[in-house]
Amino acid sequence: MIDLRFVRDDPDTVRASQRARGADPAAVDRLLDADAQRRAVVSAGDELRAEQKALGRAVGQASPEDRPALLARAKDLAARVKEAEAAETRANDALAAAHKAIDNVIEAATPPGGETDFVVRKTVGEIPVLSGPVRDHLELGEGLGAIDTERGAKVSGARFYFLRGVGAQLQWALLNLAVTKAAAAGFIPVIPPVLVKPESMEGTGFLGEHSDEVYRLEADDLYLVGTAEVPLAAYHSDEILDLSGDPVRYVGWSSCFRREAGSYGKDTRGIIRVHQFDKVEMFAYCRPEQAADEHLRLLAFEEQMLAAIEVPYRVIDVAAGDLGSSAARKYDCEAWLPSQQAYRELTSTSNCTTFQARRLSIRYRDADGKPQIAATLNGTLATTRWIVAILENHQLPDGAVRVPEALRPGLGGREVLEPAR
RNA sequence: GGAAGCGUGCCAGAGCGGCCGAAUGGGACACACUGCUAAUGUGUUGUGCUCUUACCGGGCACCGAGGGUUCAAAUCCCUCCGCUUCCGCCA
């Protein structure tokens, strides 16, 4: 949720943000109307309640002969209070709906436009010139006995897979490396629950436009998370944190579940787009004025991980229309995939400013001791998908794969993964 | 899965249906006193919405959550959630 006070004070900025996102600027005016309406209704209700309290007190103290008359008036008032409260409920609901309809206000420097309007911030590494046939990650993974999508489909259906042998080890090595690096940098390692209550899902903003992306367990009214961001954000909901110093940083390792509802036929081969994968996710809480710097710090950590797996990548500044409702700005790192001759997303880091924390009521005390809404940020440090980039970029002509140095300890020191004969 | 009990402010812990935003104790903070520390005394000690808005101040709401009864609910009733204990079942 955006800051209502900010909308009142500076509606033009919010309208501009809406326009840059390709959203309706008039939603801002609907919000302002709903806000004014609610305030009018609430203050009317407050007055009635004040009257009722005074009258109620008088009833209690009245003499037996005065009592009936006062009681009659009080009864009438009670009915009016009830009506006023019904009106308040309606006004609150209307405000909440108008409030939810507006996405986070973008950072001023965010490129306007949609999915294809991103700005490339930098490009790192050389695109490898491969001799011989270029194998894609599935062919390589099958050759290594590392990825088995056929049995994944047999057991669980399309977009499921088994990682086995060096494939399983490669994932552990990769995610372990991510957690180890993050922990060394001061992030608190966390293994969170992956089933969460509706309010946790709602609070982090995943039940909005992406609600058809999430798995729901109807019998228990729980959701499977699509990212550790959800439990890590909800972790401190309804709390007041000490954010007087550095940001509070967590690094979570979790399985992630996505229905991939709108992506029929997209990336159907291999493990690029799957229903379940593992991810190491950074999550930071800080004061709003620290958020932009922290965002760049998260991006820097992502780049360190990409450097460790030695793949070419670029960093893009995601355009406003492609941000997602909670983010004010988002940077993606995309790795080069030789089989596709294209860059594909491996990481994504978002600055959610106070948007997410407001709904989850995550606060800190400012210098005056007053509670203020915190800022939250998140970023990817490694996922199952990274295996795709590792296999493809480090493939050798015979279908073997060189192991980046940083991952060798997790693979028994092996420098090259040889295909099974 | 069955049974019972509990859920109040930073913590502990009272609370007859009206005078309870809530006693009391502890902690924290401020001031005073003391050569320093400790002790002591006095005061402050919540959040949200809202009116006025520079400030002071005023109004309303909040006693796990949501409903209900009542002129009036922390206090009575219902539902849900959480915790504790006992029984059963099972990794």
Side-chain angles (χ1 to χ4, degrees):
Chain A
M1 289 189 290
I2 57 172
D3 184 357
L4 257 185
R5 230 160 259 156
F6 180 79
V7 182
R8 282 179 211 154
D9 292 345
D10 192 359
D12 283 339
T13 297
V14 184
R15 287 189 197 100
S17 170
Q18 288 286 97
R19 260 181 241 112
R21 280 177 174 274
D24 184 5
V28 176
D29 299 281
R30 286 193 288 272
L31 176 58
L32 287 172
D33 287 347
D35 178 43
Q37 176 67 25
R38 187 197 75 101
R39 278 191 286 168
V41 169
V42 165
S43 94
D46 279 357
E47 270 173 48
L48 274 175
R49 261 189 302 273
E51 213 180 311
Q52 186 189 33
K53 271 173 90 168
L55 192 55
R57 216 163 287 146
V59 170
Q61 289 159 353
S63 59
E65 54 269 28
D66 295 341
R67 219 184 164 90
L70 282 173
L71 239 138
R73 272 181 57 203
K75 268 195 164 131
D76 174 56
L77 239 186
R80 284 165 59 205
V81 166
K82 204 161 192 174
E83 275 171 44
E85 283 176 348
E88 282 178 54
T89 302
R90 282 194 301 275
N92 279 328
D93 291 349
L95 176 64
H99 203 169
K100 267 205 304 206
I102 298 186
D103 291 344
N104 201 359
V105 177
I106 59 167
E107 267 186 41
T110 304
E115 199 176 340
T116 55
D117 295 312
F118 60 83
V119 171
V120 176
R121 283 172 66 92
K122 70 192 301 196
T123 303
V124 177
E126 297 287 316
I127 290 172
V129 182
L130 300 174
S131 52
V134 175
R135 297 177 166 89
D136 78 358
H137 74 278
L138 184 57
E139 190 181 346
L140 290 162
E142 284 176 340
L144 296 172
I147 302 174
D148 188 342
T149 53
E150 271 180 42
R151 290 198 180 87
K154 177 179 78 178
V155 173
S156 299
R159 295 198 192 282
F160 286 96
Y161 58 95
F162 284 76
L163 291 181
R164 41 160 288 169
V166 293
Q169 284 182 296
L170 190 55
Q171 170 153 307
W172 284 320
L174 175 67
L175 300 202
N176 262 323
L177 177 67
V179 172
T180 304
K181 274 174 160 300
F187 287 77
I188 299 166
V190 175
I191 295 177
V194 294
L195 280 168
V196 300
K197 298 201 252 183
E199 55 261 43
S200 301
M201 211 58 172
E202 174 78 41
T204 42
F206 285 92
L207 290 187
E209 54 208 272
H210 296 300
S211 57
D212 56 351
E213 266 297 287
V214 302
Y215 285 102
R216 171 156 181 243
L217 303 194
E218 196 152 0
D220 300 282
D221 203 16
L222 290 169
Y223 292 90
L224 276 165
V225 301
T227 162
E229 175 190 345
V230 173
L232 289 175
Y235 187 56
H236 284 305
S237 58
D238 294 317
E239 292 182 24
I240 296 181
L241 304 177
D242 181 3
L243 295 179
S244 54
D246 284 341
V248 174
R249 302 187 178 101
Y250 295 100
V251 59
W253 176 329
S254 80
S255 291
C256 303
F257 303 88
R258 301 187 180 179
R259 297 185 63 229
E260 297 298 343
S263 57
Y264 302 109
K266 244 176 157 181
D267 298 316
T268 49
R269 192 176 151 78
I271 56 167
I272 291 183
R273 189 180 294 274
V274 289
H275 288 310
Q276 177 188 337
F277 58 95
D278 275 33
K279 179 156 74 119
V280 170
E281 175 89 348
M282 300 178 284
F283 196 89
Y285 296 88
C286 66
R287 285 175 270 125
E289 70 268 20
Q290 299 172 300
D293 284 348
E294 183 67 4
H295 197 195
L296 293 176
R297 218 169 286 129
L298 296 187
L299 177 59
F301 284 125
E302 292 178 348
E303 292 197 52
Q304 281 175 33
M305 267 305 290
L306 286 160
I309 65 160
E310 303 171 40
V311 297
Y313 68 94
R314 67 179 184 185
V315 180
I316 66 168
D317 198 342
V318 176
D322 200 22
L323 279 185
S325 56
S326 299
R329 197 157 194 194
K330 178 158 104 177
Y331 304 120
D332 284 0
C333 295
E334 301 179 323
W336 178 256
L337 290 195
S339 70
Q340 300 192 358
Q341 293 290 297
Y343 285 101
R344 296 297 307 264
E345 176 187 329
L346 284 200
T347 74
S348 182
T349 178
S350 294
N351 178 1
C352 295
T353 61
T354 58
F355 190 88
Q356 201 172 54
R358 183 166 294 104
R359 184 151 29 183
L360 290 167
S361 188
I362 301 163
R363 297 176 294 173
Y364 68 98
R365 290 191 188 279
D366 65 16
D368 297 327
K370 288 268 163 270
Q372 303 288 353
I373 306 288
T376 59
L377 303 99
N378 61 77
T380 320
L381 220 44
T383 67
T384 301
R385 187 188 275 183
W386 285 41
I387 292 171
V388 175
I390 293 168
L391 294 181
E392 292 197 7
N393 281 287
H394 295 296
Q395 64 180 293
L396 302 170
D398 57 352
V401 174
R402 191 184 80 86
V403 180
E405 219 161 306
L407 297 177
R408 287 177 195 168
L411 282 154
R414 258 173 290 199
E415 293 177 20
V416 175
L417 306 177
E418 300 285 355
R421 308 256 163 224

